[in-house]
């Protein structure tokens, strides 16, 4: 499916789906628990459905409350495997879900026997050498099946024989660290994890809070370099409501700021468990008109002529050296949204500490440079950073900015959901007469099912063909 995007303005209320990160953690912990857990507002995305389909292989049952047409309901029930949990009965195909791969493979290492993990073409390019090394340190056997490869298929033979300390980098991903923390729930002795260079640390805090919710004892040092997890006496079932996904909030947020729009994003998570909420402060620092009402759990976003000043110009003018420096080590999934916003911001933006973005669904640093350049943006690429020299469509007085030269083009999504959504939002901010065509845009269902229909309900005018 291709999506055609032209200049538009947005108005009204929008609610984004539940958090993928929270949904997958809830499903896996409910799988480990004794009893029946109830999960309200789960994200029915491809990654979460892959997780739900994996649970029965280990002894749990999932009722997604399907409608007559096969659509997932907004309340799921998991009957946990508990003390009857067992080795996966088949190969675990994680689809396109790196979260599921990195979370569940350490848990599988606690079973006596062989487990095999694989996935789609994207997963079979993602590194797993860090998982292999960590599991081997715990006494399990772990291998990749292809000689000379560092990717899936991943083969594991448990059980873990010497629970104790794991020393690992933490730079490739935080997800396998969360997986090790979950695996500790099945081990008799505490697991200590020493990280030499921790990244994506808000997600480790999220995992800590989830484990504590089910009774585990978890300690994380202030610098995130030392983590200890001890199992609870009994891991009981739970009822939970999944908060909205900040990674999804980013897209209607930037779309409104790039256009003459006023929208309200409802049911915004103010718990602080999702590091991606830092995008609000980043955008406010360049003049974005965003009001976060934490009493009502809403974001009020005004862009362009609908902004309070009637201009809505994004600029680095008020920042030191007139440059925006954004360190995304804590919330790297925001790189696509931040990069697009930077293209429409007068001044230079440095997006830093994003080496992990090379190991997502795509190498997002390369992909963003290529596709944004097609659209007229000036983008520089480094090993773990990007530099974007942007221009606002308007001057400070609201008149047209002759330096603004972004334009339409046909661009590739590379089957990366965040790339597809960010490039679609880019097209909304162009001048009349320009259009962006995003190829293979249906991949957004991985994290935001019905993204285009939801955005069209507030006026985006996305055309699909």
């Amino acid at each position: 499916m291709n999506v055609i995007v032209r200049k538009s303005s947005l108005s009204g209320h929008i609610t984004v789906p539940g958090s993928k990160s929270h949904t997958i953690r809830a499903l896996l912990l409910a799988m480990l628990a004794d009893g029946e857990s109830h999960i309200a507002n789960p994200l029915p995305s491809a990654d979460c459905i892959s997780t739900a389909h994996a649970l029965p292989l280990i002894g749990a049952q999932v009722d997604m409350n399907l409608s007559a047409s096969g659509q997932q309901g907004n309340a799921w029930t998991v009957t946990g495997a508990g003390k009857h949990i067992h080795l996966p009965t088949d190969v675990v195909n994680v689809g396109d879900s790196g979260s599921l791969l990195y979370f569940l493979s350490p848990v599988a290492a606690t079973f006596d026997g062989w487990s095999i993990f694989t996935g789609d073409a994207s997963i079979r390019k993602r590194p797993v050498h860090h998982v292999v090394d960590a599991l081997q340190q715990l006494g399990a056997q772990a291998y990749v099946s292809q000689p000379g490869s560092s990717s899936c298929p991943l083969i594991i033979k448990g059980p873990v024989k010497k629970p104790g300390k794991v020393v690992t980098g933490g730079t490739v991903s935080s997800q396998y660290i969360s997986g090790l923390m979950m695996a500790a729930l099945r081990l008799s002795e505490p697991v200590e994890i020493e990280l030499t260079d921790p990244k994506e640390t808000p997600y480790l805090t999220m995992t800590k809070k989830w484990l504590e919710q089910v009774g585990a004892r978890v300690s994380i040092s202030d610098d995130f370099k030392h983590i200890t997890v001890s199992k609870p006496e009994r891991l009981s079932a739970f009822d939970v409501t999944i908060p909205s996904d900040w990674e999804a909030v980013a897209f209607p947020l930037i779309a409104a700021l790039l256009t003459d729009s006023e929208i309200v994003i409802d049911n915004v998570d103010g718990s602080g468990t999702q590091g991606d909420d830092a995008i609000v402060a980043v955008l406010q620092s360049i003049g974005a008109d965003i009001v976060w009402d934490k009493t009502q759990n809403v974001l009020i976003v005004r862009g362009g002529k609908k902004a309070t000043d009637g201009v809505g110009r994004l600029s680095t003018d008020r920042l030191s050296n007139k440059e925006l420096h954004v360190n995304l080590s804590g919330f790297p999934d925001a790189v696509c949204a931040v990069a697009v916003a930077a293209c429409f911001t007068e001044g230079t933006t440095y997006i830093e500490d994003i080496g992990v973005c090379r190991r997502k669904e795509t190498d997002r640093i390369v992909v963003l440079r290529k596709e944004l350049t097609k659209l007229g943006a000036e983008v520089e690429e480094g090993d773990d950073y990007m530099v974007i020299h942007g221009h606002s469509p308007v001057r400070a007085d609201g008149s047209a900015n002759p330096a603004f030269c972004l334009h339409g083009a046909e661009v590739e999504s590379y089957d990366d959901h965040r790339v597809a959504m960010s490039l679609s939002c880019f097209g909304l901010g162009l001048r009349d007469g320009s259009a962006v065509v995003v190829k293979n845009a249906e991949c957004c269902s991985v994290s935001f099912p019905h993204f285009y229909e939801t955005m069209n309900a507030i006026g985006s005018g996305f055309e699909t063909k």
Side-chain angles (χ1 to χ4, degrees):
M1 178 184 80
N2 295 345
V3 169
I4 304 170
V5 191
R6 297 181 177 87
K7 180 180 178 180
S8 188
S9 59
L10 312 177
S11 64
H13 288 249
I14 183 172
T15 301
V16 305
S19 163
K20 180 178 76 167
S21 298
H22 278 292
T23 299
I24 293 177
R25 283 169 173 80
L27 286 168
L28 293 176
L29 291 175
M31 171 196 75
L32 294 169
D34 280 304
E36 192 172 272
S37 296
H38 302 94
I39 303 171
N41 195 42
L43 175 65
S45 72
D47 282 7
C48 297
I49 292 171
S50 292
T51 303
H53 288 165
L55 266 56
L57 300 178
I58 302 177
Q61 297 299 318
V62 183
D63 180 358
M64 290 187 283
N65 195 22
L66 298 178
S67 68
S69 62
Q71 293 295 310
Q72 295 80 17
N74 61 4
W76 297 357
T77 300
V78 179
T79 304
K83 59 181 177 292
H84 301 297
I85 197 166
H86 53 68
L87 189 75
T89 55
D90 201 349
V91 172
V92 180
N93 189 320
V94 303
D96 189 33
S97 179
S99 299
L100 176 57
L101 170 65
Y102 293 142
F103 288 170
L104 190 54
S105 52
V107 174
T110 66
F111 299 117
D112 186 4
W114 294 94
S115 301
I116 302 173
F117 287 79
T118 190
D120 67 6
S122 172
I123 284 292
R124 295 195 304 276
K125 294 177 182 177
R126 291 209 196 184
V128 294
H129 60 275
H130 50 298
V131 181
V132 168
D133 177 70
L135 295 181
Q136 288 178 346
Q137 288 185 52
L138 290 173
Q141 298 181 52
Y143 312 94
V144 293
S145 66
Q146 300 293 318
S149 171
S150 63
S151 305
C152 283
L154 170 64
I155 304 172
I156 298 167
K157 185 178 189 302
V160 168
K161 295 179 180 177
K162 50 179 181 181
K165 178 180 284 190
V166 176
V167 179
T168 186
T171 57
V172 176
S173 169
S174 68
Q175 292 170 333
Y176 77 105
I177 309 302
S178 289
L180 293 169
M181 293 168 71
M182 293 181 190
L185 300 179
R186 288 193 28 83
L187 301 177
S188 57
E189 299 295 327
V191 171
E192 298 178 40
I193 306 168
E194 181 176 327
L195 302 181
T196 58
D197 190 10
K199 303 292 184 183
E200 301 180 313
T201 55
Y203 294 104
L204 299 178
T205 299
M206 181 188 293
T207 301
K208 176 180 185 289
K209 291 185 176 182
W210 267 104
L211 296 186
E212 289 174 337
Q213 182 175 325
V214 298
R217 297 185 301 280
V218 185
S219 66
I220 299 181
S221 63
D222 291 343
D223 61 4
F224 287 89
K225 290 187 175 181
H226 304 281
I227 301 172
T228 303
V229 182
S230 301
K231 64 179 292 187
E233 291 185 10
R234 183 173 182 269
L235 203 164
S236 299
F238 51 86
D239 295 345
V240 68
T241 298
I242 301 298
S244 56
D245 191 348
W246 267 101
E247 294 167 4
V249 167
F251 298 108
L253 174 58
I254 63 166
L257 293 175
L258 304 184
T259 56
D260 296 329
S261 301
E262 180 174 356
I263 67 170
V264 178
I265 306 176
D266 293 312
N267 193 32
V268 170
D269 177 20
S271 69
T273 59
Q274 300 184 61
D276 299 75
D277 61 9
I279 193 173
V280 172
V282 170
L283 295 171
Q284 287 173 331
S285 75
I286 54 174
D289 189 347
I290 306 170
V291 176
W292 185 355
D293 185 341
K294 295 188 178 182
T295 62
Q296 300 296 317
N297 298 321
V298 300
L299 284 180
I300 303 167
V301 190
R302 302 179 180 93
K305 296 177 181 178
K306 295 295 182 70
T308 302
D309 64 2
V311 178
R313 182 174 184 261
L314 304 179
S315 169
T316 63
D317 286 349
R318 295 178 295 177
L319 302 177
S320 176
N321 297 321
K322 295 187 176 182
E323 297 172 347
L324 172 63
H325 290 259
V326 188
N327 187 309
L328 291 187
S329 64
F331 55 115
D333 283 333
V335 67
C336 298
V338 171
V340 165
C343 294
F344 291 81
T345 299
E346 191 67 33
T348 300
T349 298
Y350 294 81
I351 306 175
E352 300 165 336
D353 207 349
I354 54 172
V356 69
C357 294
R358 294 193 183 278
R359 298 178 289 273
K360 297 291 185 178
E361 284 80 347
T362 57
D363 182 334
R364 286 180 178 159
I365 299 176
V366 169
V367 165
L368 287 169
R369 177 185 56 76
K370 286 183 177 179
E371 302 312 303
L372 293 176
T373 300
K374 289 180 185 177
L375 296 164
E378 186 179 348
V379 183
E380 300 174 33
E381 171 192 342
D383 288 344
D384 65 347
Y385 67 88
M386 296 172 62
V387 182
I388 299 177
H389 304 281
H391 290 288
S392 169
V394 295
R395 293 169 165 163
D397 63 3
S399 62
N401 183 2
F404 181 80
C405 58
L406 300 179
H407 54 75
E410 185 174 88
V411 292
E412 302 283 345
S413 71
Y414 297 84
D415 291 322
D416 186 325
H417 51 125
R418 301 199 199 286
V419 171
M421 289 185 283
S422 62
L423 294 176
S424 298
C425 293
F426 184 108
L428 297 174
L430 297 179
R431 289 174 172 160
D432 287 330
S434 293
V436 172
V437 178
V438 183
K439 298 176 67 176
N440 300 316
E442 67 275 8
C443 59
C444 67
S445 65
V446 167
S447 61
F448 198 147
H450 312 297
F451 170 71
Y452 296 106
E453 297 91 333
T454 301
M455 290 292 290
N456 280 349
I458 58 171
S460 65
F462 291 134
E463 299 176 30
T464 59
K465 61 180 296 185

